Amino acid sequence: MFPLARAAQSLVARGIQHTAVRGAHRKHEPTFHDKYGTIVLLGGASMFTAVWGYVFTSLNIEWGTSPVGRVTPREWRE
């Protein structure tokens, strides 16, 4: 059984070596991500910034202020 396992292991190793050599000699063609990846990333980042900038500026939120001492209760109407 041991020689059979060793033969199988060498066949697997040889197959991996052939695959690695075949991939190393293949000419690299640029994919979509190679061509447009940076442009798409920057476009998405600018859209994200623009949309959230619009949302934050249109909400009229006072940032970082505490209502302690400024909020007074209204008179109760019966």
Side-chain angles (χ1 to χ4, degrees):
M1 188 68 177
F2 181 73
L4 182 63
R6 191 167 60 194
Q9 183 183 9
S10 70
L11 283 175
V12 169
R14 193 175 317 146
I16 292 172
Q17 287 173 346
H18 284 301
T19 303
V21 168
R22 188 169 52 234
H25 291 298
R26 193 178 74 189
K27 196 171 194 178
H28 177 70
E29 298 174 4
T31 62
F32 175 83
H33 297 290
D34 292 335
K35 290 181 182 178
Y36 307 110
T38 306
I39 295 168
V40 171
L41 179 68
L42 292 176
S46 63
M47 279 298 294
F48 177 85
T49 304
V51 168
W52 281 108
Y54 174 77
V55 168
F56 285 144
T57 56
S58 66
L59 288 179
N60 293 330
I61 297 176
E62 293 184 22
W63 297 99
T65 57
S66 173
V68 174
R70 278 187 267 141
V71 176
T72 58
R74 288 189 278 172
E75 291 295 324
W76 181 259
R77 288 189 248 164
E78 290 187 30

